[in-house]
Amino acid sequence: MLFDTPPRTVARVCVDSPLPHLDRLFDYLVPEETADRVRPGCRVKVRFAGRLLSGFVIELATDTRYEGRLHPIEKLVSPEPVLSEPVAKLAREIADRYAGNLSDVLRLAVPPRQARIEQEEPPGRAGPIVEPPAAGWRRYAHGERFLTALSARRHPRVVWQALPGEDWRTRLAEAAAATAAGGRGALLIVPDQRDLEALDAALTRVLGPDRHVCLSAAMGPAKRYRAFLAARRGTVRVVAGTRAAVFAPVADLGLVVLWDDGDDSHAEPHAPYPHAREVLLTRAKLGDCAAVIAGWTRSTQAELLVESGWATAVTAERETVRRASPRVVPVGDDADLAADPDSGAARLPTPAWRAAQKALRDGNPVLVQSPRRGYLPAVSCADCRRRAQCAQCSGPLGLPSSGATPACRWCGRPAADHRCAGCGGRRLRANVIGAARTAEELGRAFAGVPVHTSGGDRILGEVAAGPAIVVATPGAEPVAVGGYGAVLLLDTWALLSRADLRAEEEALRRWFAAAALARPAADGGSVVVVADGGLPTVQALLRWDPAWFAARELGTRNELRFPPLVRMVALTGRPASVAELMALTELPTGTDVLGPIPVDAETERLLLRTTRRDGMRLAAELHRASAARSLKKPGDVVRVQVDPRELW
């Protein structure tokens, strides 16, 4: 009819707002002049409550349920559809899993726009990828079949425990190549930039040049956005990156990989605080693709995947493990003290000294893992042993270098005239010895041997073959050409005595990461761990069997109702605010309320514990309650963290 209303296009937009009560899609009219360019996934500006806000078009429709007058889209920022439909669905799932807002997840998923990069001529697609050889994977049970399944477009899900000395970056590159040879995409996530650079080189060797891109926050805005667009446009099929790449828009995703899932770097520090492992496992579920959780050890979360039947363990036979492993020597039990009474007070016991001497004599480098950075990070009174504190802020005093003036580690004030508040003494002694002091001591003990340090903002990538001593903090151990002749694990108490649910698991992860760099026992490689050989963590290192420890730890946590067998949620805020949120929340039946405990003078922390089955329901309830509070008190926020990394 002549007077029929012409059809109109409605865009459903996710508005960029941190307020929980605005966590939904809002309908806007698409202006006629931009109707042919507005597409799902593009960036727009919309008018909301009198302000101009950014947003993403999630979908287009011809009708709306909104009964009022629709506002038009104010501005089409770019017609580039940077948000793909699979990533939008993933973002919604992750937001619900972590009791967060969709807009917060999209802020993590899509990097800021670089207009100049969008105008660049896109590179042509590279040719087909040849399926890689499977020789490296044949050392593992199910390894060759795993690669075959990837190239056949199937979706195996595995937990892979790498052998000591394994070139794990090349193995992961081969898995990505097998996936790409089958016509699907792959996404590989590693903890830090150093690992990413090494993985980048391995992917170039296996895939060939220009067949993959790297994504990380350290790349710089332009380079990162260029790599992001290459993945979004389907120019490349393989993406490698750090935590910032977990939402990378890989076309036809067939494989997700996470190396060392226990590393703290995989935990996102911004709301809603998702963990890279959970994001990738959710992608595997939604996209029906293969998944690999890999590392030198096995986390309790990975063990739960194996025990539940969700994933298959890919490990080597025991005989293969024995041939590849170094000899592990514990030092610290009663028999060691009886044989060498002075070793109890020595930082470098006799067996460790001898192992280092032998390795250097054989022309091999020695790795020393020291858990603390700095020189003397903590000192105390030499007379009464009271911890030395700053006179201004009561912070701990430390010594930054030999001959330096003691200084506060909190406010940085020097304390040249420090006097003990307890006895008045002026002399100081070391409480904790850092990596710099360790390197200094070893340099004096092994005169003429080069001593290198790795840690903090100066991390070594590789150490040449030949006699040398490398003192590294956990996670900063460089690879040695040919492997280390000896690895010394010092001050183990510093890792084992942490007030953390994951202290033993984390200690074992860090020990294995260093020990895996040693030469096999047949080639003279040895690991000396300064700890009691009866400890479960040391037993796992002795047997080179982290799966045994993970199963044992998971069983203990099951009895105590600890994660990952349950869902934990931490609520942090002002006491009155936390109480208001709890009053608005309908907790699932059986949910435990633990606390609250004070965090500082103004805030407290409350823990909620429920079953894994009720985890999503609890997250939904907390998000609903947060939305109700934000309507009344938009500035008074209670931080909600699902499965926080630190529980005490």
Side-chain angles (χ1 to χ4, degrees):
M1 297 178 63
L2 292 176
F3 298 103
D4 282 349
T5 303
R8 57 183 182 174
T9 303
V10 176
R12 297 200 166 103
V13 178
C14 174
V15 178
D16 188 4
S17 171
L19 298 177
H21 68 274
L22 300 181
D23 184 32
R24 59 189 179 89
L25 303 183
F26 293 89
D27 289 356
Y28 286 87
L29 283 177
V30 178
E32 291 184 8
E33 60 270 19
T34 59
D36 59 337
R37 293 187 295 147
V38 172
R39 292 177 286 175
C42 67
R43 306 176 201 255
V44 294
K45 293 278 189 179
V46 295
R47 186 71 58 182
F48 192 93
R51 295 185 299 159
L52 198 61
L53 298 180
S54 300
F56 289 98
V57 175
I58 302 300
E59 60 184 14
L60 297 176
T62 57
D63 60 347
T64 178
R65 295 181 181 178
Y66 182 65
E67 296 180 354
R69 185 177 67 87
L70 291 181
H71 290 283
I73 291 175
E74 289 282 338
K75 179 183 179 182
L76 174 61
V77 177
S78 169
E80 184 80 38
V82 290
L83 179 62
S84 65
E85 183 179 356
V87 172
K89 291 181 178 179
L90 171 68
R92 181 69 268 173
E93 188 89 3
I94 294 301
D96 294 341
R97 160 85 167 75
Y98 285 94
N101 294 349
L102 175 61
S103 61
D104 287 337
V105 180
L106 294 182
R107 202 176 299 120
L108 302 174
V110 183
R113 180 181 182 239
Q114 301 290 313
R116 179 178 58 84
I117 304 301
E118 287 185 0
Q119 305 306 318
E120 292 179 351
E121 186 70 23
R125 295 190 181 187
I129 294 174
V130 179
E131 188 171 344
W137 283 95
R138 290 195 185 109
R139 296 203 294 169
Y140 301 91
H142 312 298
E144 190 171 6
R145 283 191 293 168
F146 165 65
L147 279 195
T148 302
L150 292 178
S151 59
R153 299 179 64 92
R154 296 199 295 271
H155 46 86
R157 291 162 183 175
V158 305
V159 172
W160 174 44
Q161 179 187 318
L163 285 166
E166 177 65 273
D167 183 3
W168 59 269
R169 301 167 185 89
T170 298
R171 298 291 86 77
L172 296 184
E174 290 167 353
T179 306
R184 301 194 72 183
L187 174 60
L188 301 87
I189 303 298
V190 293
D192 54 43
Q193 190 65 28
R194 185 176 60 137
D195 285 331
L196 179 58
E197 290 171 0
L199 179 59
D200 179 26
L203 286 167
T204 301
R205 288 195 307 270
V206 175
L207 301 178
D210 303 322
R211 285 177 168 84
H212 77 282
V213 293
C214 292
L215 269 174
S216 77
M219 295 172 61
K223 190 175 179 181
R224 180 185 177 189
Y225 196 61
R226 186 180 291 112
F228 174 85
L229 288 182
R232 178 68 184 96
R233 293 167 176 173
T235 305
V236 294
R237 289 189 177 275
V238 178
V239 175
T242 55
R243 181 186 69 235
V246 290
F247 294 96
V250 181
D252 193 13
L253 187 61
L255 172 68
V256 293
V257 177
L258 184 66
W259 173 260
D260 197 8
D261 69 305
D263 194 299
D264 288 340
S265 300
H266 290 307
E268 175 59 54
H270 300 102
Y273 318 105
H275 193 282
R277 178 185 54 249
E278 301 306 319
V279 176
L280 294 184
L281 294 181
T282 303
R283 295 196 78 162
K285 179 187 73 172
L286 295 178
D288 201 25
C289 66
V292 179
I293 304 297
W296 302 117
T297 59
R298 185 182 298 178
S299 67
T300 51
Q301 288 87 350
E303 177 64 20
L304 182 60
L305 295 176
V306 174
E307 293 190 10
S308 67
W310 193 88
T312 301
V314 173
T315 56
E317 299 291 340
R318 288 306 303 171
E319 184 57 35
T320 305
V321 173
R322 279 192 288 269
R323 286 197 301 268
S325 303
R327 176 172 173 262
V328 181
V329 180
V331 180
D333 57 17
D334 293 339
D336 296 324
L337 294 176
D340 185 6
D342 293 334
S343 69
R347 203 150 166 268
L348 198 66
T350 302
W353 181 279
R354 290 173 178 166
Q357 276 188 323
K358 180 181 182 303
L360 294 172
R361 190 169 56 248
D362 293 343
N364 297 316
V366 174
L367 174 64
V368 181
Q369 187 189 74
S370 179
R372 306 286 191 181
R373 287 186 291 179
Y375 190 75
L376 296 180
V379 293
S380 61
C381 176
D383 299 322
C384 69
R385 306 297 174 92
R386 178 171 177 163
R387 182 181 289 272
Q389 292 179 305
C390 175
Q392 299 292 329
C393 68
S394 300
L397 294 185
L399 204 63
S401 64
S402 176
T405 301
C408 178
R409 294 180 58 206
W410 287 1
C411 68
R413 293 175 183 270
D417 58 346
H418 171 74
R419 185 183 293 272
C420 177
C423 68
R426 290 184 174 275
R427 296 185 302 123
L428 297 173
R429 66 184 298 273
N431 268 8
V432 177
I433 296 177
R437 174 62 179 267
T438 302
E440 183 181 284
E441 292 176 351
L442 291 172
R444 290 197 297 263
F446 296 94
V449 177
V451 179
H452 310 285
T453 59
S454 181
D457 56 357
R458 185 178 179 274
I459 298 179
L460 302 179
E462 188 177 82
V463 175
I469 296 174
V470 180
V471 181
T473 52
E477 301 90 352
V479 176
V481 176
Y484 289 98
V487 174
L488 313 181
L489 306 176
L490 304 185
D491 299 337
T492 55
W493 57 268
L495 296 177
L496 293 172
S497 61
R498 291 171 58 206
D500 191 335
L501 171 66
R502 300 169 49 250
E504 291 186 347
E505 180 183 342
E506 179 66 7
L508 189 65
R509 186 186 72 82
R510 294 183 176 188
W511 294 350
F512 263 80
L517 302 178
R519 300 162 68 91
D523 295 335
S526 64
V527 175
V528 179
V529 51
V530 184
D532 188 339
L535 295 174
T537 46
V538 181
Q539 283 292 307
L541 187 62
L542 278 168
R543 304 174 189 178
W544 209 272
D545 192 1
W548 166 80
F549 178 83
R552 181 184 183 276
E553 182 75 3
L554 192 64
T556 301
R557 295 192 193 181
N558 187 31
E559 294 175 2
L560 300 175
R561 296 193 67 216
F562 283 165
L565 282 308
V566 295
R567 283 273 185 267
M568 300 286 284
V569 181
L571 309 180
T572 307
R574 295 190 307 108
S577 304
V578 173
E580 289 173 1
L581 182 64
M582 286 295 294
L584 294 169
T585 305
E586 184 179 340
L587 299 177
T589 304
T591 300
D592 298 325
V593 180
L594 311 176
I597 58 172
V599 175
D600 53 39
E602 297 182 356
T603 59
E604 68 178 20
R605 189 186 201 197
L606 187 72
L607 289 177
L608 304 177
R609 177 171 60 187
T610 191
T611 62
R612 291 178 63 85
R613 183 184 64 251
D614 288 333
M616 290 295 287
R617 180 185 165 195
L618 177 58
E621 272 296 310
L622 287 169
H623 187 57
R624 182 194 59 77
S626 297
R629 280 196 74 247
S630 70
L631 277 170
K632 302 176 181 178
K633 300 180 178 180
D636 186 13
V637 178
V638 175
R639 185 170 65 180
V640 179
Q641 287 182 277
V642 178
D643 292 338
R645 293 286 288 170
E646 295 181 0
L647 290 176
W648 54 64

